[in-house]
Each structure stands twice: as C-alpha cells, then as structure tokens.
Amino acid sequence: MDRPIRVIVAKPGLDGHDRGAKVIARALRDAGMEVIYTGLRQTPEQIVAAAIQEDADVIAMSILSGAHNHLFPKVVNLMKDQGADDVLILGGGVIPEDDIPGLKEAGVEEIFTPGSATQTIVDFIKNNLKRD
Amino acid sequence: MELEKRLLDGDKRACARLISMVENNNKEAISLIKKLYKHTGNAHVIGITGPPGGGKSTLTDKLVKSLRDEGKKVGIIAVDPTSPFTGGSILGDRIRMNDLSLDPGVFIRSMGTRGHLGGLSKATQGAVKILDIYGCDYIFIETVGVGQSEVDIVRTADTVLMIMVPGLGDDIQAIKAGTMEIGDVFAVNKSDLFGASKTAREIKTMLEMNHNMDRIPPVMQVTALKNEGIKELLNEIKGHMEYLKENDRLNKRRESNARAEIINLIEEEILSLILRKNESVGVLDDISQKVALRNMDPYTAKDEILRAIDL
C-alpha cells in the first residue's frame, strides 16, 4: 500500500487510564501510520462517527474498566449499521481470557492483552487490513 | 458516478472517502473536483492558526458550536504534523471537538502534513473543495501549531484568524515579519491569564503602525475553555467577510489564492516528473553521493538532473 494506514485509537466508556492507548498510538505512529487519537471517555457512537469521518482503516480500542463485553460489540454493530464493514476492529486492555472468544465471535478481529509486543500489533494490522 | 451523487446528497462516508482519495492523489477524485468546481466558492473558508497549545482546536470547537446554533453546516480540517522520519503522525485535534463528532451538521477531518511545510498539507485545498461541494456554509482549517513563518493558510483561506496567548514574548516578537502579518482577525486566547490585556495591547499597537492597511484587524480577547468572547469573535470573523464583499475584495483575494494554488500544482507536477525520471535510472542517489563527497557541486547536480527531462 502506498498510502499511510489510518487508525482511530479510542478509549470507550468510563475509564480514565490511557497510558496503554498512548503507547500504542506512539508505536503505530513510529510504524508510519496516521493515528487519530480521540481521547478518553468516548461513547461507541462517537468512535464510529470519528471512524467514518476520518475514513479510518482500523479502529483500535482500549478498555481497562471491564465494560469490554458491552462496548466492543456495540462499536462493531454500529459500524455494520453504517455499512462500513471494511474496517478492521481491534480491542485491547485488561480482558479476561474467557471473554476473548465471545468478543471475536462478535466481530472484534483480535484482542491484545497486557504484555503484547507493539510490533505484534503493528504486524497484525499490516497483515489484516480489509481494504487496499 | 455513485460517489458524486452521494457527496451531493450530503453522505458523510462518501465525503470522507473522497477526501482520502484527494490525499492520495487519486484521479477519480480529481476529475470529480474538475467537474464540480464551478459549484464551489459558496463556503466562507476560515483559517485558524497560532502557536502549538494556543487553543486553536478548543476555540474552533466553540466557534463551530456557535455557528451550529444558527443552523449552519460546518466542515473542519485539522492539520497536525507528520513525522519526517517514519511518515507516521498522531492527529489529536479531535480530542477538543468530541461533542461535535455526532452532530449531523458538522464534518471533522484530521490530516497529517505528509511532508509539506508551511502549516498545511498538500491536499488541504482539495479537501476544502470536497467540503464545499458537500455543502458546508463554513469551512475551518486549523493549521499545525506554527512558529514564525508558516503562512500557507493566507493563500488558502478567505479569513485568517490568528490566535495568540499571553506570555510568549515581548513586543519585538509582534513586529517581526511572517505569521504576524497574515491575521485578518486576532484573538488573544486564555485571556483569564495574567498579561493577556498587555499582549492584546501590544498586538494592537503593532497593527496600528501599519499605515498601508485600509482595515486594521480587530484584536479580541477570548477564553475558549470558559466560552468567553466567542460570539463577539464570530461577529468579527463574519465582519471580515462583509468587508471582503465590498469593492470586489473577495474576488481579488481568491484570484491571488488561485494563482498561488496553480503555481503549487505546477511545482509538484514538475518535481514528481523529475524525480520519477531520475529514480528510474538511479541518478539522484549517484549524484547526491558525489555532492556529499565534494566530487560535484549542487548547482551542477541540478543542471544534470534537469537535463534528464529536457526542460
């Protein structure tokens, strides 16, 4: 691809800890991507609106509050409602192992838990984009 | 063409996709602009510029909310720097405008400069045209945080709003050439801080020294975070458009902007032509090495490279 990959990095829900999201944002920047950082306490509707207007290739969300089972699938469904199913949706944060299969089934393509190497995330994005 | 119809119908996804296509120099998007160009020019294009952290995004947020109260449709292009080393960027202007994300009458787009100097990205002007066709009444362009010489915005906007903050230097800073010369309206933001009225006074004094102006730009004190002075500032911005509409000033300004845009497009095309021709034969690498080793001077190098395209 001869254009920068555009990624929305977002913190859905009521969760004030964005160190992880900022580390990811920085790593993706250093991998040559355009990272649109939307900040804390975003509703799924706001995240989807940003992804649509920014014509993002990827939505990467981080949650540490425990609300992932509710918020991640909601973003996936809102994107589908918009007819935007060519966007790669990723989740990260403190997510129990047991919840991961359900989230993937709901349409979150991959979940990255604490300890994931940033290079793994960069490679995953580059290899799994849903459009040219 | 489907995208064209959707854009004219005000579809946000189509608008977003077309801006990406313009950024990536896509032929289909360019031909759409060619076809619909005659329908552009209705929007009031407002450039917002000033130092990093001066409050450009926050102030844009407040100005746009005020325009939304009047029912106007608004587009925002927010430019942030691209890394010269990796080509990546962190575009963070949306953080200050999250309330506007869901407003159906607002379209916000972040752009990386992608190597372009001067405070905007190469595709900013194309994106403005897409938003104009999309039907925006007002288009805000927020530049990267500027230093002293990023003045591209004056060639792109109808009105330049220069945002200053207290505490960035004395009155000598205010009389230097460059960014201080391009403001049509000045706003001293964070006016709840100590020294704000002194800053405003210094800017006013600087502006009044210029006797060649038939209009002295107003200097407004605002505090964006507290929503203070926003209505008054918006009135001055609108007042500048009224001023432009008198005596054919708007057309003259747009004519000189068009001239600059055309020259830019030609420069880009010639440069990419030269680089394409040279890259294919590896000449540029070769010559750069020679110049670095002092086996050739840069002027001769330039002559050699230009010879490759028979200018």
Side-chain angles (χ1 to χ4, degrees):
Chain A
M1 194 188 314
D2 55 357
R3 63 174 180 86
I5 298 169
R6 288 173 67 86
V7 187
I8 300 276
V9 172
K11 289 282 306 175
L14 299 173
D15 166 359
H17 301 275
D18 62 350
R19 170 63 63 194
K22 282 175 177 156
V23 168
I24 298 298
R26 173 70 197 265
L28 300 182
R29 183 203 88 174
D30 290 342
M33 301 182 195
E34 285 186 351
V35 179
I36 299 107
Y37 189 66
T38 61
L40 291 168
R41 290 181 280 276
Q42 298 291 293
T43 63
E45 287 80 3
Q46 283 175 320
I47 293 169
V48 168
I52 297 288
Q53 291 169 36
E54 298 291 353
D55 195 23
D57 301 293
V58 184
I59 299 177
M61 294 176 283
S62 154
I63 294 189
L64 307 175
S65 68
H68 47 268
N69 283 336
H70 175 64
L71 293 169
F72 286 166
K74 188 146 189 216
V75 170
V76 175
N77 291 332
L78 287 170
M79 286 299 281
K80 277 187 191 146
D81 293 347
Q82 295 275 338
D85 46 9
D86 56 352
V87 177
L88 178 67
I89 300 181
L90 305 175
V94 187
I95 316 283
E97 283 293 324
D98 291 351
D99 290 349
I100 293 177
L103 289 171
K104 285 192 176 172
E105 203 170 309
V108 183
E109 301 277 331
E110 191 54 274
I111 300 287
F112 296 96
T113 52
S116 304
T118 52
Q119 189 58 46
T120 313
I121 300 171
V122 168
D123 292 340
F124 186 89
I125 289 175
K126 285 184 175 167
N127 295 326
N128 290 279
L129 290 173
K130 294 185 167 185
R131 60 186 212 219
D132 299 331
Chain B
M1 192 178 74
E2 192 218 1
L3 273 175
E4 174 184 332
K5 186 178 176 304
R6 282 169 58 202
L7 180 69
L8 290 169
D9 287 347
D11 179 320
K12 282 195 176 183
R13 275 195 81 201
C15 182
R17 183 57 55 89
L18 279 160
I19 291 176
S20 301
M21 289 164 73
V22 169
E23 273 193 297
N24 300 319
N25 222 351
N26 174 292
K27 288 208 168 63
E28 195 184 330
I30 305 291
S31 60
L32 184 133
I33 292 178
K34 283 182 183 170
K35 184 175 163 194
L36 298 175
Y37 185 71
K38 57 181 177 296
H39 301 299
T40 65
N42 304 315
H44 181 181
V45 182
I46 300 157
I48 303 213
T49 191
K56 295 182 292 300
S57 307
T58 308
L59 197 51
T60 303
D61 177 67
K62 297 296 188 286
L63 288 168
V64 170
K65 277 177 185 155
S66 196
L67 282 168
R68 289 297 298 147
D69 291 341
E70 301 171 19
K72 302 293 185 195
K73 189 168 173 180
V74 186
I76 302 168
I77 298 167
V79 187
D80 264 334
T82 294
S83 161
F85 305 111
T86 66
S89 53
I90 300 225
L91 312 176
D93 293 320
R94 284 193 91 91
I95 299 176
R96 326 284 170 209
M97 308 179 198
N98 271 321
D99 296 349
L100 296 173
S101 275
L102 292 174
D103 187 329
V106 178
F107 188 99
I108 310 173
R109 181 57 174 252
S110 317
M111 295 179 107
T113 53
R114 298 198 184 174
H116 194 81
L117 300 174
L120 299 177
S121 83
K122 198 179 83 175
T124 303
Q125 285 170 317
V128 167
K129 292 178 186 70
I130 297 287
L131 287 172
D132 199 334
I133 298 167
Y134 172 70
C136 292
D137 301 305
Y138 289 86
I139 299 170
F140 287 78
I141 308 170
E142 188 192 323
T143 70
V144 302
V146 301
Q148 295 179 311
S149 67
E150 294 90 338
V151 296
D152 268 6
I153 190 65
V154 73
R155 306 251 172 268
T156 309
D158 299 318
T159 302
V160 174
L161 171 62
M162 171 64 68
I163 298 182
M164 305 297 288
V165 284
L168 286 186
D170 61 10
D171 49 353
I172 287 297
Q173 298 301 337
I175 58 171
K176 286 186 181 169
T179 53
M180 288 301 287
E181 293 177 283
I182 64 169
D184 298 302
V185 177
F186 284 74
V188 177
N189 191 27
K190 310 192 188 186
S191 274
D192 52 345
L193 295 182
F194 178 77
S197 28
K198 180 161 174 272
T199 302
R201 215 161 46 237
E202 282 169 358
I203 297 168
K204 266 184 207 155
T205 311
M206 177 275 294
L207 293 169
E208 280 160 10
M209 278 195 285
N210 188 343
H211 298 295
N212 298 325
M213 284 183 173
D214 53 0
R215 170 186 171 274
I216 296 174
V219 181
M220 309 297 291
Q221 284 189 238
V222 299
T223 306
L225 264 184
K226 296 181 180 166
N227 218 358
E228 285 168 7
I230 304 300
K231 279 265 172 340
E232 294 79 359
L233 178 59
L234 190 57
N235 282 338
E236 290 296 343
I237 292 170
K238 289 178 177 172
H240 180 250
M241 182 44 95
E242 295 310 312
Y243 163 81
L244 286 178
K245 282 179 176 164
E246 293 161 14
N247 297 331
D248 207 33
R249 291 190 187 97
L250 181 62
N251 287 334
K252 279 183 193 143
R253 178 156 182 155
R254 288 186 171 177
E255 186 183 314
S256 96
N257 287 359
R259 186 190 167 85
E261 184 179 3
I262 295 163
I263 291 173
N264 262 335
L265 288 170
I266 294 172
E267 278 177 359
E268 277 162 24
E269 188 72 26
I270 292 180
L271 183 64
S272 81
L273 187 67
I274 293 170
L275 292 180
R276 266 205 312 272
K277 288 240 177 183
N278 279 292
E279 266 171 13
S280 58
V281 285
V283 174
L284 191 58
D285 288 351
D286 239 31
I287 285 186
S288 305
Q289 199 177 34
K290 282 185 191 155
V291 172
L293 294 171
R294 302 298 189 270
N295 292 330
M296 187 190 281
D297 66 273
Y299 303 98
T300 308
K302 179 234 347 169
D303 293 340
E304 294 230 337
I305 284 171
L306 287 182
R307 202 171 300 136
I309 59 158
D310 289 329
L311 263 186

